[in-house]
Amino acid sequence: MDRVALRGLKARGHHGVFPKEREEGQTFIVDLVLGLDTRPAAADDDLAKTVHYGIVAEEVVAVVEGEPVNLIETLAERIAQVCLKHGGVHEVEVCVHKPDAPITVPFDDVTVTITRSRV
């Protein structure tokens, strides 16, 4: 399976379990790896035979900016389901970064990574 990756998609969301996170929001960063067969697109040089990663990026940002959830695990699952709706995508790895998580000690990042595939 071939891979198309989008790294560092940034969007502001209001996800989290604490009232401050819900009220003020924070930046979330999403990395995606889409698994698909790119041979038909490459053979015909045809965008319609692959995944349009610009559209995927817009849809993922809309999920992050959309309805708040408590957990980034839930956010990652919603993002994965949006990606799998694209016909050629057979598998997706989603990594959600929460660099401004409410943690009381110094840290660089918090991430949740999931892999989902068509059943």
Side-chain angles (χ1 to χ4, degrees), residues 57-98:
E58 291 171 359
E59 292 172 351
V60 168
V61 166
V63 171
V64 175
E65 293 175 343
E67 180 185 351
V69 296
N70 289 332
L71 303 176
I72 59 175
E73 291 87 343
T74 306
L75 183 60
E77 185 67 37
R78 288 184 178 182
I79 291 168
Q81 295 311 312
V82 164
C83 293
L84 289 171
K85 287 182 181 177
H86 290 266
V89 176
H90 298 287
E91 182 179 272
V92 62
E93 180 182 281
V94 178
C95 180
V96 176
H97 300 255
K98 190 175 179 180

Side-chain angles (χ1 to χ4, degrees), residues 101-119:
I103 298 175
T104 60
V105 298
F107 73 102
D108 288 330
D109 199 4
V110 173
T111 66
V112 168
T113 303
I114 66 169
T115 302
R116 298 292 182 266
S117 59
R118 291 180 186 271
V119 180

Side-chain angles (χ1 to χ4, degrees), residues 29-79:
I29 302 166
V30 178
D31 300 324
L32 301 172
V33 180
L34 308 171
L36 63 152
D37 183 357
T38 63
R39 289 175 292 190
D44 295 337
D45 198 26
D46 186 353
L47 176 61
K49 294 183 178 180
T50 188
V51 63
H52 190 311
Y53 49 79
I55 291 173
V56 172
E58 291 171 359
E59 292 172 351
V60 168
V61 166
V63 171
V64 175
E65 293 175 343
E67 180 185 351
V69 296
N70 289 332
L71 303 176
I72 59 175
E73 291 87 343
T74 306
L75 183 60
E77 185 67 37
R78 288 184 178 182
I79 291 168

